[in-house]
Amino acid sequence: MKEINWNKEIDIDKIISFFLYMLIWIMPFLITSINKLGGINDDKCIMIYVITSFIIVFSLKDIKKRKSLITIILLIYSVLVILATIFSINKSVALLGFFGRNEGMITILCYVVLFIASKNHIIISKKTINITLILVTLMSLLVIMQLYIYDPIYNQATMYGINRDVAIASKLERLLGTIGHRNFMSTYLVIFLPISISLYIKLKEKKYLVYSIVIFIALMCTTTRSGWLSVILFMIVMLFFIGGKKEYLKRFFNIIMIFMAILLVINISLNGVISSRSDKFKNEVVEFNEHSGSNRVKIWKSVIICIKKHPILGTGPDTVFEALRKEKSKNPNIINAAVDKAHNEFLQIALNSGIPSLCLYIVFLILVIINILKHIYDYKYKILLLVFLSFIIQSFFNISVISVAPIMWILFGIMSKDEIIIYNM
């Protein structure tokens, strides 16, 4: 057991870790208005700005001492984002972000700062991991409560039991938990589920099994297919990592059996929602067209048209709505709907800040995965690989949101460390 030596040399690490954990623990729950989506994300945005400002103050001198290839790549990426903002089709939106989304230039630069701070300073302990998973479990319980019992956010009886079709069509498409949308909630849950499952299999501690079960129930309740796909794929990779270790295999298949039972119960309780969503996914794959994936293919085609018009610097951060609306007046092939995100992380970056910035982002991800693979014989990096894969898989069909993205950038920072020490574990 290794104890932390709280001497002066790591005072900065302690301070910055405190701010990073405040983001991970508090920011997802922060909500003061339920009337508009903007009310949910505005609070989170302000917290990110404030915490990032404190981190910059405490770590400014240290950043120069800890340069690396991955941070240089991100700094160049940041320059391109700034240039994209300067030459944007809507400079105010590019600076502060679209209403209710808040992912303009300032927010993107905050993500870069959070990554660097995490890579250089974050202190990880069994206690911080447990607090994180407990809070994710509480969020999951809120989701389950909203759908089955009572919604404390809206102060109303759950829509289930009144009109399940209305619940799926409206309630699930609006708020879920305090994240803002079922797709975003799915992203939040799917990046923590591999951690809780892996720790149960590795450490055989029942609390991690409980966390995993509750998080999985909430994830299934979101009915988000990209989240489901992430679970299937990371579980396959996890099985590969386990190999022939009988003790781990036993716990792995125990989880599989429990999850299958949960799926059956949820499907029955929601009048076949799980099976109908699965059938719809199969049909969309077989009969692939531009309306597949809730019109995602049509959105992607429209975004690609706009990217071709602005390949170098894009249209500016968070300006998908403006770009599509502007192009729609000239091109009938653009989707005829109010779309403010590309529903694909990579297309979003290409349109927002240009193809060169997308290339830098891909290089950044490659460097992250290379660092993970370099240390893959350490179980901690195996777990982080599962988290990385879960996020990347869903990012092909989902969008970056301010309620989840800062957490993932902090995790990217941890993934990029040359050594990960978990104290008291």
Side-chain angles (χ1 to χ4, degrees):
M1 183 181 293
K2 188 171 182 177
E3 298 293 338
I4 303 176
N5 180 19
W6 297 114
N7 53 39
K8 292 183 180 179
E9 292 180 0
I10 62 170
D11 282 349
I12 292 178
D13 290 349
K14 288 169 55 181
I15 293 168
I16 293 178
S17 293
F18 169 79
F19 288 124
L20 292 174
Y21 282 118
M22 288 304 98
L23 267 184
I24 295 172
W25 294 341
I26 297 175
M27 186 268 298
F29 290 89
L30 193 60
I31 175 172
T32 59
S33 172
I34 62 172
N35 296 322
K36 295 180 180 179
L37 180 61
I40 292 176
N41 284 338
D42 285 349
D43 303 327
K44 296 175 172 63
C45 183
I46 292 170
M47 183 175 184
I48 291 168
Y49 287 176
V50 171
I51 284 184
T52 304
S53 299
F54 279 118
I55 289 174
I56 290 172
V57 170
F58 284 106
S59 64
L60 193 57
K61 293 181 180 179
D62 192 58
I63 289 176
K64 297 178 182 179
K65 300 177 184 177
R66 302 198 188 186
K67 286 182 181 178
S68 63
L69 177 59
I70 197 166
T71 55
I72 291 171
I73 292 294
L74 279 182
L75 290 175
I76 299 172
Y77 171 76
S78 301
V79 171
L80 290 180
V81 170
I82 293 169
L83 290 174
T85 303
I86 293 172
F87 296 100
S88 173
I89 59 175
N90 189 321
K91 292 179 177 57
S92 60
V93 170
L95 181 66
L96 299 174
F98 189 74
F99 173 76
R101 300 299 191 187
N102 304 93
E103 280 203 311
M105 182 197 81
I106 297 176
T107 302
I108 294 172
L109 296 182
C110 285
Y111 295 164
V112 173
V113 172
L114 293 175
F115 167 83
I116 295 172
S118 175
K119 181 180 184 300
N120 294 340
H121 298 287
I122 195 166
I123 299 170
I124 307 169
S125 68
K126 187 173 183 179
K127 183 177 180 180
T128 59
I129 292 173
N130 286 336
I131 291 173
T132 302
L133 291 177
I134 288 170
L135 289 171
V136 176
T137 302
L138 288 175
M139 180 72 80
S140 301
L141 288 171
L142 174 60
V143 170
I144 298 166
M145 182 178 177
Q146 283 176 314
L147 299 187
Y148 283 104
I149 305 170
Y150 181 81
D151 186 351
I153 304 298
Y154 278 97
N155 192 29
Q156 64 185 15
T158 173
M159 283 188 171
Y160 286 129
I162 300 172
N163 186 320
R164 298 182 190 277
D165 293 332
V166 171
I168 294 164
S170 60
K171 177 65 178 295
L172 288 178
E173 294 296 338
R174 282 161 52 197
L175 300 180
L176 204 58
T178 56
I179 297 294
H181 192 280
R182 65 190 179 94
N183 289 344
F184 313 154
M185 176 57 70
S186 172
T187 304
Y188 175 76
L189 297 174
V190 85
I191 62 179
F192 290 110
L193 185 59
I195 299 174
S196 61
I197 294 175
S198 298
L199 290 177
Y200 167 65
I201 292 173
K202 177 72 177 177
L203 303 177
K204 199 182 175 180
E205 294 186 24
K206 295 289 180 66
K207 62 185 176 184
Y208 297 117
L209 175 60
V210 173
Y211 301 155
S212 301
I213 290 171
V214 177
I215 294 170
F216 181 78
I217 293 172
L219 179 60
M220 294 302 104
C221 287
T222 66
T223 70
T224 304
R225 291 168 292 180
S226 61
W228 298 352
L229 181 62
S230 294
V231 173
I232 292 170
L233 294 180
F234 86 65
M235 291 294 278
I236 292 172
V237 177
M238 182 183 290
L239 182 59
F240 173 78
F241 283 154
I242 290 172
K245 297 176 182 177
K246 292 183 180 180
E247 186 181 358
Y248 292 171
L249 279 173
K250 181 181 178 181
R251 290 197 281 275
F252 176 84
F253 285 111
N254 282 344
I255 287 178
I256 294 295
M257 295 301 294
I258 292 170
F259 283 4
M260 290 178 67
I262 289 170
L263 277 175
L264 180 62
V265 172
I266 293 176
N267 194 50
I268 293 172
S269 67
L270 300 185
N271 286 347
V273 167
I274 302 294
S275 56
S276 64
R277 291 281 289 174
S278 300
D279 291 339
K280 185 179 179 182
F281 177 72
K282 294 174 187 175
N283 293 335
E284 288 177 346
V285 172
V286 174
E287 302 172 7
F288 187 79
N289 57 58
E290 64 181 18
H291 300 296
S292 297
S294 303
N295 286 322
R296 276 176 173 78
V297 177
K298 179 68 173 178
I299 295 171
W300 296 343
K301 287 182 177 180
S302 300
V303 169
I304 289 171
I305 290 172
C306 294
I307 291 171
K308 290 178 180 178
K309 296 289 183 68
H310 307 271
I312 307 302
L313 290 175
T315 56
D318 225 8
T319 57
V320 173
F321 179 81
E322 283 79 5
L324 292 178
R325 183 177 62 178
K326 183 179 179 181
E327 191 62 29
K328 178 64 181 174
S329 62
K330 309 172 188 175
N331 191 332
N333 293 320
I334 298 295
I335 187 170
N336 187 25
V339 177
D340 59 11
K341 289 283 188 178
H343 289 275
N344 178 291
E345 183 75 5
F346 302 92
L347 292 178
Q348 178 84 19
I349 292 172
L351 180 56
N352 279 349
S353 49
I355 294 174
S357 73
L358 171 61
C359 293
L360 287 170
Y361 180 70
I362 292 173
V363 170
F364 162 74
L365 293 178
I366 291 172
L367 291 174
V368 171
I369 197 73
I370 286 174
N371 190 69
I372 292 174
L373 295 176
K374 189 168 66 174
H375 302 89
I376 200 62
Y377 291 105
D378 183 338
Y379 81 93
K380 297 184 287 294
Y381 287 91
K382 285 185 173 74
I383 296 174
L384 289 173
L385 178 60
L386 299 177
V387 175
F388 181 91
L389 292 175
S390 297
F391 176 78
I392 294 301
I393 290 164
Q394 65 80 37
S395 69
F396 277 98
F397 309 97
N398 216 333
I399 62 178
S400 172
V401 289
I402 200 167
S403 52
V404 181
I407 298 173
M408 196 60 219
W409 280 88
I410 292 170
L411 289 172
F412 280 148
I414 296 172
M415 294 172 191
S416 302
K417 283 178 169 291
D418 292 327
E419 181 185 17
I420 298 174
I421 298 173
I422 302 180
Y423 295 94
N424 304 320
M425 178 169 281

